[in-house]
């Protein structure tokens, strides 16, 4: 099993460009999450999903959109990138709420 | 007050030492507690769950103090490989998501 995978691993964007980050898990988990991690801020939840076809806002959802059309995939979109979105983005999944979260290796995004 | 607070450190300890970290939480309805470990430039990974009765896994012991609203992590006989950032994670009853602390950095010195 690959666990949780993320693509791309690293990306540089110019302000105003758009992109989609892909998260895939092969553990048949119901819950999936997108976090961003910034120095001194810890992991902050952007959006999450409790099952296929459902999404919900987390702590810092502005500027991001998500979709979960298939149970194994959770996409994070940036419609118009801003320098404030420079961060490391982690995807995670868990079987149910409150259970162990399994993280992907992260995507490093630099917005110029 | 932050939902979950940790001393950022760094804690610099010699090999073989015993070190303890605390993590305080503000929501008295918190139900699930975890310690995760994050190596530099890597993803967080579960170290251990924290149960009401406390739990031990080898050199690692985790405890919960509901009255004072904190959890602790004790590492005995520190190894160089224990150098990492330790994240405290808390979930409140009825919540579908968890809150991560900002982490405590541990550096074990030869």
């Amino acid at each position: 099993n690959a666990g949780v995978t993320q693509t791309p691993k690293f990306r540089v964007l110019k302000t105003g460009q758009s992109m989609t980050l892909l998260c895939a898990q092969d553990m048949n988990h119901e819950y999936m999450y997108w976090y961003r991690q910034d120095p001194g801020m810890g992991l902050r939840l952007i959006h999450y999903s409790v099952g296929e076809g459902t999404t919900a806002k987390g702590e810092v959802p502005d500027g991001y959109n998500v979709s979960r059309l298939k149970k194994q995939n959770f996409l994070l979109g940036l419609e118009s990138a801003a320098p404030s979105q420079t961060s490391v983005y982690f995807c995670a999944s868990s079987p149910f709420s409150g259970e162990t979260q399994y993280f992907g290796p992260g995507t490093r995004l630099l917005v110029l | 007050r932050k939902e979950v607070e940790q001393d950022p450190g760094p804690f610099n300890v010699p090999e073989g030492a015993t070190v303890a970290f605390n993590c305080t939480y503000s929501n008295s309805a918190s139900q699930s507690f975890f310690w995760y470990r994050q190596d530099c430039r890597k993803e967080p990974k579960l170290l251990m769950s924290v149960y009401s009765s406390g739990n031990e896994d080898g050199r690692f012991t985790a405890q919960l103090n509901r009255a004072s609203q904190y959890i602790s992590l004790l590492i005995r006989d520190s190894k160089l490989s224990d150098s990492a950032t330790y994240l405290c994670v808390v979930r409140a009853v009825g919540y579908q998501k968890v809150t991560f602390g900002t982490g405590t950095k541990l550096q074990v010195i030869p």
Side-chain angles (χ1 to χ4, degrees):
Chain A
N1 288 351
V4 181
T5 57
Q6 293 183 232
T7 51
K9 288 185 170 55
F10 179 70
R11 184 77 183 267
V12 179
L13 288 180
K14 293 181 180 178
T15 297
Q17 287 185 318
S18 63
M19 77 165 294
T20 299
L21 284 67
L22 172 63
C23 175
Q25 52 97 2
D26 62 2
M27 297 174 282
N28 201 35
H29 286 171
E30 292 294 331
Y31 283 64
M32 296 188 75
Y33 313 82
W34 275 108
Y35 295 91
R36 59 177 289 173
Q37 187 173 40
D38 304 291
M41 302 292 290
L43 282 158
R44 292 183 292 169
L45 184 65
I46 304 171
H47 287 279
Y48 65 102
S49 168
V50 302
E52 182 179 317
T54 72
T55 63
K57 293 181 180 180
E59 182 185 353
V60 288
D62 294 341
Y64 305 95
N65 56 73
V66 288
S67 64
R68 185 136 179 236
L69 300 179
K70 293 183 178 180
K71 186 176 183 179
Q72 63 268 33
N73 295 338
F74 196 26
L75 278 63
L76 178 71
L78 285 73
E79 292 182 345
S80 180
S84 61
Q85 294 178 304
T86 292
S87 188
V88 180
Y89 291 85
F90 287 104
C91 175
S93 71
S94 65
F96 299 104
S97 170
E99 296 291 325
T100 302
Q101 293 190 16
Y102 296 83
F103 284 80
T107 295
R108 298 183 180 279
L109 176 64
L110 175 61
V111 182
L112 300 175
Chain B
R1 182 183 174 187
K2 288 184 180 179
E3 287 186 59
V4 179
E5 291 198 74
Q6 295 183 253
D7 181 341
F11 284 59
N12 297 313
V13 302
E15 273 187 288
T18 295
V19 61
F21 312 133
N22 280 346
C23 165
T24 59
Y25 59 94
S26 60
N27 188 343
S28 59
S30 297
Q31 183 180 50
S32 304
F33 308 89
F34 309 88
W35 284 103
Y36 279 69
R37 170 194 169 124
Q38 186 173 24
D39 293 306
C40 188
R41 300 177 73 82
K42 297 287 189 180
E43 72 273 22
K45 292 184 179 179
L46 179 72
L47 178 66
M48 57 198 311
S49 301
V50 187
Y51 305 119
S52 296
S53 56
N55 51 310
E56 186 174 313
D57 183 3
R59 298 181 293 109
F60 298 84
T61 300
Q63 292 195 316
L64 168 64
N65 186 317
R66 286 193 184 275
S68 300
Q69 294 186 199
Y70 74 87
I71 64 172
S72 63
L73 178 67
L74 180 78
I75 305 175
R76 290 181 297 276
D77 189 23
S78 297
K79 312 289 185 190
L80 295 176
S81 57
D82 294 334
S83 297
T85 296
Y86 291 83
L87 306 174
C88 169
V89 181
V90 175
R91 184 179 76 91
V93 159
Y95 279 71
Q96 294 173 322
K97 46 188 172 59
V98 298
T99 301
F100 282 79
T102 54
T104 296
K105 186 172 183 179
L106 171 65
Q107 185 70 44
V108 181
I109 305 165

